[in-house]
Amino acid sequence: MAAQAPAIEVPTDAELLQAQADLWRHTLYYLTSMGLRCAVKLGIPTAMHNLGGVTSLPDLAAALSIPASKQPFLGRLMRALVTSGVFAAGGKDDSEAELFRLNPLSRVLVDDVVADDHHSQTSFVLAGTSPHYMEAALGMADWFKKDVTGPVPSVFEDVHSASLFDETTAALDPELDALVTEGLEAHDNLGIGTIMRECHDLFKGLESLTDCCGGDGKTARAITKAHPHVKCTVLDLPKVIQKTPSDCVVNYVAGDLFHTVPKAQAVMLKLVLHHWSDDDCVKILTQCKNAIPSREEGGKVIVIDIVVEPSLGPVMFEAQTLMDLLMLVFTRGRQRSENDWRELFMKAGFTDYKIIKKLGARGVIEVYK
C-alpha cells in the first residue's frame, strides 16, 4: 500500500491572497528585467539625462521618436520601472502631466557621458538579459538532474557547450562575446572612485602593484593618479592586452594568472575570484602569494570581492544571493562569506587576513604571507 501523503496546511484567506500576489511577483519578475532591457535599448536613461534628468511622457516619447500608436503604452512601462526602482516619480508639471526622474540606478545607465566616476552599465544589462543568458537559466532544472564526475560545468557550459570569457564564447556568438567582455569591464570598473576615496590608505606606502585581470588598466591608472609613487602592472590574457593601447603610466603584461603573476609589493584581485571554483582560487592565490614579499616588507594580496553577509539587510543580501546564482549559472565560481574566504586564504598558505572596509555588497580584504 502506497504511503499516504502528509496533510497540507491550508492558509488563511488573507495568507492565500498574499501568497497569490507573491506568486505573481516571483513568477513575473523576469518582466522587470525585460522592461529594464527595453528601457536600455530604447535609450530612455540617456534621453532623460539629455532632457535635464526629469521629463514628462510626451517629451520623453518625442525624444525617443516613439510612434504615436505606441505612446500610450510608454507610461505603463515607466510606471512598472518606477515601481521597481529603476526610475523615480517626479511629481507633476504645471499642466498636471506626470513627471519621471533619473535616480542613482538609472544614472549609471546613461551613455555618452565622459566623467572619471561614470562607467555606464548598459552593456552589463544587455549581456545579463541576452537570449543566450536566458536560455542558460532555463536549463537549471535539467542541469541539477545530471550526475557528473570531475569538475562540475556551469549551466551555461552545459546548455551552450561554451565557457564565458574564453574563445568558445566567441565561436558561439561573437556579438555575445564582445558584449559580455564590455559588460564585465563596465561592471568591474564601477566604484573605482569610491575605492580610492574610502580606502586611500590601502595603497599608501606601496612601491609596486600588479592588477590581475586588470583589463584596459582603468583601475591601475586611477591608482597611479591618486598615488603617483606606485608603479602599476596589469596582467591579463593576450586577447585583452593586444587591444589595449600602451601608455607610459601602466605596464601591461599578457599572461595567465594560473601560471605566473608579475612580482610586486602588492597583487590585486578585483572581482576575479568569484568566477572560479575553490580549487582554482587556491591555485590563483598561491601564484599571487609567490609574487609578493613578506608582510614585514609590505607584501600583501588585495582582494576586492563580494562578502556574503545577511546582516547587510534584505535588499543588499538579496543582491548578493542573486549574484551567487549568476555565478552558478554562468561560471564555476560562487560568492563567498567571510568564513569561505578565510578557508581559501589558509588553504593557499597565507597566515592572516584583514577586512579593511565593506563597500556595499563588497569587501576590501588584505591577505598576508
Side-chain angles (χ1 to χ4, degrees), residues 113-259:
V113 173
V114 178
D116 286 343
D117 278 358
H118 183 77
H119 303 280
S120 175
Q121 300 297 298
T122 56
S123 54
F124 178 79
V125 172
L126 294 177
T129 57
S130 66
H132 285 97
Y133 270 50
M134 296 299 102
E135 187 178 355
L138 289 170
M140 271 198 288
D142 289 338
W143 177 84
F144 269 107
K145 294 175 184 178
K146 295 179 182 178
D147 194 12
V148 296
T149 56
V152 178
S154 67
V155 184
F156 187 92
E157 290 175 82
D158 189 58
V159 171
H160 294 300
S161 300
S163 300
L164 283 180
F165 315 126
D166 70 18
E167 63 276 2
T168 57
T169 304
L172 173 69
D173 186 330
E175 290 185 6
L176 174 69
D177 182 58
L179 187 61
V180 168
T181 300
E182 183 181 339
L184 180 66
E185 179 184 316
H187 173 265
D188 290 358
N189 285 329
L190 186 68
I192 292 174
T194 302
I195 294 171
M196 293 298 102
R197 289 185 291 272
E198 296 291 328
C199 306
H200 191 270
D201 289 346
L202 187 66
F203 309 101
K204 187 176 181 180
L206 286 181
E207 296 178 359
S208 59
L209 179 141
T210 295
D211 183 9
C212 292
C213 301
D216 63 0
K218 281 189 175 69
T219 297
R221 288 195 298 275
I223 293 171
T224 301
K225 182 179 179 180
H227 304 272
H229 57 279
V230 181
K231 181 180 178 181
C232 287
T233 297
V234 166
L235 171 71
D236 216 314
L237 296 173
K239 70 172 186 176
V240 176
I241 298 299
Q242 68 186 12
K243 296 178 182 179
T244 302
S246 60
D247 55 47
C248 299
V249 178
V250 175
N251 180 39
Y252 295 90
V253 175
D256 182 346
L257 78 172
F258 280 96
H259 296 104

Side-chain angles (χ1 to χ4, degrees), residues 23 108 110 119 123 127 145 182 191 196 200 207 224 236 249 255 257 262 265 274-275 331 341 343 345 353-355 360:
L23 185 63
V108 302
V110 173
H119 303 280
S123 54
K145 294 175 184 178
E182 183 181 339
M196 293 298 102
H200 191 270
E207 296 178 359
T224 301
D236 216 314
V249 178
L257 78 172
Q265 195 174 13
H274 63 191
H275 292 129
T331 77
W341 285 115
E343 186 173 342
F345 300 149
Y353 75 96
K354 179 166 57 176
I355 297 180

Side-chain angles (χ1 to χ4, degrees), residues 36-71:
L36 174 61
R37 178 181 176 86
C38 175
V40 167
K41 289 185 75 69
L42 289 174
I44 291 177
T46 302
M48 291 177 68
H49 171 74
N50 293 335
L51 290 167
V54 59
T55 182
S56 65
L57 279 174
D59 288 344
L60 180 61
L64 298 172
S65 300
I66 299 294
S69 62
K70 300 295 177 61
Q71 289 181 15

